[in-house]
Amino acid sequence: MTIRDEIIWRSGIIYITMIILAVALFVKIIILQSLERSKWEAMGEKYVFKTDEMPAIRGDILADDGRLLATSVPYYSVYMDTRSSGMSPELWNSNIDGLCKGLANTIGGQTASGWKKVLTDARKRGERYFLIKRNVSYSTLKKLRELPLFREGQYKGGLIAQPENKRILPNRDLALRTIGYSRNEIDGKKVGIEASFEKELAGKNGKVLKQRLIGGDWLQVNDARSIEAVDGNDVVTTVNIELQDVAASALRNQLKKHNADHGCAVLMEVATGDIKAIANLKLESDGEYYESYNYAVGESTEPGSTFKLPVLMAALEDGVADTSDIVDTGNGTVKFYNKVIKDTKEGGYGKLTLKQVFEKSSNVGTSKIIYEHYKNNPRAFVDRLYSMRLGEKLNLQIKGEGEPFIRHPDDKLWSGLSLPMISHGYEVRLTPLQILTFYNAVANDGKMVRPTFVKEIRRKGVVIKRFDTEIIDPSIASPEVIKKAKKMLEGVVEHGTATNLKDSEYRIAGKTGTAQIAKDNTGYKSGSRIYYQASFVGYFPAEKPLYSCIVVINSPSSSVYYGNIVAGPVFKEIADKAYSTIFLRDYPGTEEDENKTVNPDAGNGYRTDIQEILRNSGIKYNKNGDDTWIATREIGNTVKIVPLETNEKLIPDVRGMTLRDALFLLENSGLKVEFTGRGRVKKQMPEHGTRINGEMVVSLVLGV
């Protein structure tokens, strides 16, 4: 073969090979664009785009009158796109020094030169999503937007601000442990109403599309595939802020006075079981008292003398004793086997009626009555206690209820001492709320109702679920026994162990309790110190009970530990406040008022919420524009919607708004807010239209 033929042959092979490759490439393109198109598009999107959750705004927790107990306010995570497409090198170089100086002054963290170094390094790395700071308030964000470079916006200046919602408690630690925590932000647990009503409060997260940037960061992009989040519902509690404030303040002062370890106070509405106040305070290492555990719900301890009420009611119900029976308490001591039980009065009380035994809280008298009548049949006594629902959990709306315990003759630790010990509140464990529920049943003529913390679930102001009063037992004892029990409880305050609680305006019925308690693993005594628990539980007004209350104070100073002195004053202060509100309740309107048909006050605020309220109420309204913030005007049978003017340099007009909307609008304007009252905003100071100047505070007066 000649050289010419060899060249032609080789060229032909190359030519044919190229044709084959071209055809193969063309076929592959056809396959990719048609047959495998969806596969590769999906794979491309998987690595370039992703769908993340868009968190829903958590619902509010409200007091019984609608005031905020917990709400979510916006905070921001601030990032910088150091390689934003509109950011020229000239713009960067001429503004970076001013930006870094502003960052050092506005959010700190490091010096201006330190900021310049980290931002310059981030730009060299091509970072598109460099974190500046998390949890930035709106007022700080406004200052950042005025800084050199950042004031050019996201496209040229690279400023990215992503909103996040932060949970706040407008009343600080008031009922903190009952309200609870929405995240694992305090002690790693979800507790209280926040935890128990998580499903209702959380809402439903939406979906948002994000695009992968150079360097591996992700940036949110607008896309039709994004799904709006559904915000959570509001939970309306039974808690009354004024009564809660009094309970917490009175408890804190008494704990400090007696240098106690911890304590709790609960106020319950007799007929409904609504918890109007619940305070739990614990002495911490800094010497102050905080809400760190819900003792009222979760701490199950030996109650001491407050347990004498169900004990003597059991004897009355079984017909083995009556309130007029005489008991000889002798010199104030009685011995059962190797255990000596004593009364607090030196020399004893001598002969007492059963009613007086209860009023004087005689351990000797109570133990003699129970031992004499039940020593041959202890099972009948304990079963009677169980029949009054004392051995059952209350199955509360919030989690963490302590386990009740009453030693039973079938228990392997039952002994000859068990009857006399149970008679004055030992070998028994109950939580304060379980004891209160029993006393509340006596006040309620025998009807035991379940304690209630939450009354309603609302969505944008409309009730979607209501929790009615639940009856645990229609009658824990016969009417005759309930009547006698009430007389005994009234006698404790009239001429028994709690005469210091007598009041000329109204009558209190209740029982003192003083118990030695076991401390950790040291038993009832640690060295020379004996640990005590002082309590008082009862109801008022005695003749027509409206509220029941319990106060328990744990480990007061050894010198003063009696229930009437330590716990009684807290009960009295709470009772005084509650009683003062009884006659200030709204009176029913006239027949003319009841038959009058008017449009409800839609108020001013967030457009979506107001329109939904109007729709759900069946009220006609005229839609006007699409402004986010609106005001409403009533014109005949129609509500007219008008835009609410806002200016970022002026204080907005929040009159007629709910507290939640007012807080959102004012705090997003960089203003701090103080408020009093309940309902909608009636007055604001400074007035709307005032120029915002520095860290201003706006005071709101709310009214119905």
Side-chain angles (χ1 to χ4, degrees), residues 51-56 204-208 226-230:
T51 302
D52 269 357
E53 283 194 333
M54 179 189 295
K204 187 176 181 181
N205 291 341
K207 300 291 183 182
V208 62
S226 296
I227 302 173
E228 287 291 330
V230 177

Side-chain angles (χ1 to χ4, degrees), residues 417-475:
L417 289 174
S418 292
L419 268 181
M421 293 303 289
I422 291 174
S423 73
H424 62 295
Y426 293 90
E427 297 196 25
V428 174
R429 288 193 301 274
L430 294 168
T431 69
L433 193 52
Q434 289 162 355
I435 297 170
L436 177 61
T437 301
F438 183 86
Y439 275 74
N440 191 83
V442 173
N444 204 20
D445 294 327
K447 183 190 295 183
M448 180 178 283
V449 295
R450 199 179 317 280
T452 304
F453 294 89
V454 172
K455 291 300 289 184
E456 294 175 349
I457 306 296
R458 293 180 185 173
R459 179 154 193 82
K460 300 188 184 301
V462 178
V463 177
I464 61 174
K465 186 175 183 180
R466 198 183 306 275
F467 298 93
D468 296 323
T469 299
E470 291 186 49
I471 299 174
I472 297 174
D473 193 324
S475 182

Side-chain angles (χ1 to χ4, degrees), residues 341-481:
I341 293 176
K342 299 180 180 180
D343 282 338
T344 56
K345 183 182 179 182
E346 193 71 30
Y349 293 106
K351 292 182 178 181
L352 298 172
T353 65
L354 182 147
K355 183 173 181 288
Q356 290 173 325
V357 165
F358 184 78
E359 293 169 352
K360 303 295 183 184
S361 197
S362 170
N363 296 332
V364 173
T366 308
S367 59
K368 276 189 170 184
I369 292 169
I370 298 305
Y371 189 77
E372 177 185 345
H373 293 296
Y374 291 101
K375 61 183 177 182
N376 296 323
N377 190 10
R379 185 185 299 275
F381 170 67
V382 177
D383 286 347
R384 173 62 69 182
L385 294 176
Y386 273 90
S387 74
M388 293 188 285
R389 306 289 183 148
L390 284 163
E392 304 173 11
K393 274 191 171 185
L394 297 171
N395 295 320
L396 303 170
Q397 290 175 317
I398 60 176
K399 302 173 183 177
E401 182 182 3
E403 194 73 39
F405 171 78
I406 302 173
R407 194 174 304 285
H408 195 274
D410 292 338
D411 192 317
K412 64 181 180 181
L413 294 179
W414 180 272
S415 71
L417 289 174
S418 292
L419 268 181
M421 293 303 289
I422 291 174
S423 73
H424 62 295
Y426 293 90
E427 297 196 25
V428 174
R429 288 193 301 274
L430 294 168
T431 69
L433 193 52
Q434 289 162 355
I435 297 170
L436 177 61
T437 301
F438 183 86
Y439 275 74
N440 191 83
V442 173
N444 204 20
D445 294 327
K447 183 190 295 183
M448 180 178 283
V449 295
R450 199 179 317 280
T452 304
F453 294 89
V454 172
K455 291 300 289 184
E456 294 175 349
I457 306 296
R458 293 180 185 173
R459 179 154 193 82
K460 300 188 184 301
V462 178
V463 177
I464 61 174
K465 186 175 183 180
R466 198 183 306 275
F467 298 93
D468 296 323
T469 299
E470 291 186 49
I471 299 174
I472 297 174
D473 193 324
S475 182
I476 61 169
S478 65
E480 294 77 14
V481 170

